[in-house]
Amino acid sequence: MIGRRALLAALAASSVLTACAATPAPPVPKAVPPADRPDGDGGVSAFYQPPATVPAGPGHMLRTEAITGATLPPAAGGAERILYTSTSGVGAGTQTVVSGQIILPKGMPPAGGWPIVSWEHGTTGVADVCAPSWRGYFSRDRAYLDRWLSAGFAVVASDYQGLGTPGPHPYLLYRPEGYSALDALRAALAHDRGLLSNRIILVGQSQGGGAALGAAWLAPRYAPELHILGTVATGVVTAFGIGPHPAHPPVPRSTTESATMSASFAILTTEGSEKSLHPGTDVDADLTPRGRDLAVQARRSCLGDLFKYTTREKLGETEAFVDGHARFDPERIADFRIPDAHLTMPVFVGTGMADGEAGVTQQYNAVAAMCDAGTNVTWKEYPGLTHNGAVNVSAGESVPFALALLHGKPVRSNCATIRPLTAVQAPAPGIRWNN
């Protein structure tokens, strides 16, 4: 389509606007699109660039800087970016460098330091500019973090491997996310002695729900020195390995996710996890020309812009992928699925019954697997609430759940009463963020 400036220039040079010959207007230069960003790298400050040499081993703090210019949650007394060492969750488990942030409550810490919420963020994208420590907070998340800060928790939040820092982001793979979260806690506790207490609640939404559950499963093996009291996961998109003859057999996934939304998530999988698992392979070979344009968008922008792009271009997986859908990669599926569902600490799961993104049956399957494996699970269903809408509403029950664990009080599992979910409800009107 001809641009407005080019159209006016063409008209000005024609007999439409003048009856006599005139000097032709100079050609209008073509707009230069933003440069591509291989692996989604770039667009952030030098803070995120790893130093030339780093100490061996995970959980070492490399540098910090105060976060300024971002609107912090009202209960925050201050925040800083962090850069620390971790273990790569792909390949041979080599050392990597990850970024994140620490947010402290207002006032003086209690004796022994503030307990910690390890916040595992939801999907933002795979480009470095989508790292929460750089991009800042969506209003939903700012309000949610404020609930935890107001309850007396400090927040330690990893950006996850490859977000902010160089290299692809292994999107939705539980080991990279889990290692990143656990090593952020190690680095923060060593760096802020006296301010932070080794009493931790893992908290995550959507992608972050899987990251929190992955960290919970990995912690006893990978970071046994961390005292993790429990896990809170909402909008869960993860899956667990299931043994033979489960008491609660999995049910087929049900979702109302649109075709354009599906294409946005699929391209994040291609540009994030596929590139991480298969370095040097042209994973974009499975894309149509329109799909390759979408891949460029994913490498330089974030989720909200991807949704706008696929909606504007009417671009679903059928139009973006050569075979009409993203490639089925057994290695990616294996690295997405947590091997078993037995977690050693209590788990709170919140599910919006109108969640058309994660789907409600997938969340039931995750809860059922944990219950069958002997995990202490508290599952709360929220009628009429969506993937976004359930986040802050659920805090009314998940924060007391965490405080009970913090004070040594038992929490009662409701596994005996869980039931399969088969359909996504319509969103209830008049509730903030319930889109």
Side-chain angles (χ1 to χ4, degrees):
M1 180 180 295
I2 187 168
R4 183 174 181 271
R5 287 182 61 192
L7 176 61
L8 292 177
L11 289 174
S14 74
S15 59
V16 174
L17 295 183
T18 179
C20 60
T23 303
V28 177
K30 293 182 178 180
V32 178
D36 193 7
R37 290 175 172 159
D39 294 337
D41 289 342
V44 294
S45 71
F47 176 87
Y48 293 86
Q49 189 64 35
T53 59
V54 298
H60 293 291
M61 189 73 76
L62 300 177
R63 64 172 74 111
T64 65
E65 72 173 10
I67 294 178
T68 58
T71 303
L72 298 176
E80 62 180 0
R81 295 185 183 93
I82 61 174
L83 194 71
Y84 60 95
T85 61
S86 186
T87 302
S88 174
V90 294
T94 56
Q95 183 164 289
T96 190
V97 172
V98 181
S99 59
Q101 60 185 307
I102 299 172
I103 313 173
L104 298 179
K106 291 178 178 177
M108 297 296 293
W114 282 296
I116 299 172
V117 156
S118 174
W119 179 50
E120 281 69 72
H121 67 82
T123 300
T124 59
V126 296
D128 283 352
V129 293
C130 308
S133 70
W134 174 256
R135 183 180 176 88
Y137 317 98
F138 298 111
S139 60
R140 183 204 73 182
D141 292 338
R142 187 183 301 114
Y144 186 65
L145 293 175
D146 196 62
R147 299 286 292 271
W148 293 101
L149 292 163
S150 298
F153 290 89
V155 175
V156 175
S158 174
D159 290 328
Y160 308 144
Q161 179 180 334
L163 271 182
T165 50
H169 166 50
Y171 179 58
L172 293 181
L173 305 188
Y174 77 92
R175 287 188 186 276
E177 294 169 353
Y179 291 156
S180 294
L182 297 171
D183 287 326
L185 292 165
R186 284 168 157 165
L189 285 166
H191 180 259
D192 290 326
R193 296 183 188 277
L195 290 179
L196 302 178
S197 170
N198 190 359
R199 295 176 297 159
I200 300 161
I201 305 292
L202 302 169
V203 176
Q205 153 71 5
S206 192
Q207 177 188 7
L213 292 169
W217 188 83
L218 290 165
R221 306 158 182 80
Y222 181 73
E225 75 277 17
L226 297 178
H227 189 201
I228 298 175
L229 304 175
T231 300
V232 172
T234 56
V236 173
V237 296
T238 197
F240 292 97
I242 299 174
H245 313 299
H248 300 86
V251 296
R253 183 179 180 185
S254 173
T255 181
T256 57
E257 180 181 279
S258 69
T260 56
M261 183 179 288
S262 178
S264 296
F265 287 125
I267 204 66
L268 296 182
T269 299
T270 298
E271 293 300 310
S273 56
E274 291 291 327
K275 279 193 173 178
S276 299
L277 292 170
H278 306 290
T281 300
D282 181 14
V283 298
D284 291 351
D286 294 328
L287 301 176
T288 66
R290 295 181 70 193
R292 287 178 178 263
D293 289 341
L294 178 59
V296 173
Q297 297 295 322
R299 293 193 291 266
R300 65 188 185 203
S301 62
C302 301
L303 184 63
D305 290 325
L306 283 181
F307 285 162
K308 293 176 183 177
Y309 182 85
T310 54
T311 300
R312 183 178 69 247
E313 300 296 323
K314 297 180 174 58
L315 188 59
E317 285 191 61
T318 301
E319 294 77 26
F321 291 85
V322 172
D323 292 332
H325 55 80
R327 185 169 65 91
F328 180 85
D329 180 358
E331 186 175 353
R332 173 172 53 82
I333 299 302
D335 284 5
F336 165 76
R337 184 185 294 116
I338 299 171
D340 70 74
H342 178 68
L343 304 181
T344 59
M345 72 286 292
V347 176
F348 176 100
V349 175
T351 298
M353 300 294 284
D355 187 341
E357 292 185 40
V360 295
T361 54
Q362 179 166 307
Q363 297 186 63
Y364 162 78
N365 288 341
V367 168
M370 287 189 285
C371 286
D372 288 354
T375 302
N376 180 338
V377 182
T378 300
W379 187 27
K380 297 295 183 179
E381 303 170 16
Y382 298 99
L385 296 188
T386 64
H387 195 64
N388 290 323
V391 175
N392 279 282
V393 174
S394 68
E397 293 179 285
S398 62
V399 173
F401 168 89
L403 290 172
L405 296 175
L406 188 65
H407 295 109
K409 298 178 181 178
V411 293
R412 187 183 298 276
S413 168
N414 63 355
C415 282
T417 62
I418 69 169
R419 57 186 177 82
L421 302 181
T422 57
V424 177
Q425 297 177 355
I431 300 173
R432 192 176 184 192
W433 303 295
N434 203 41
N435 56 343

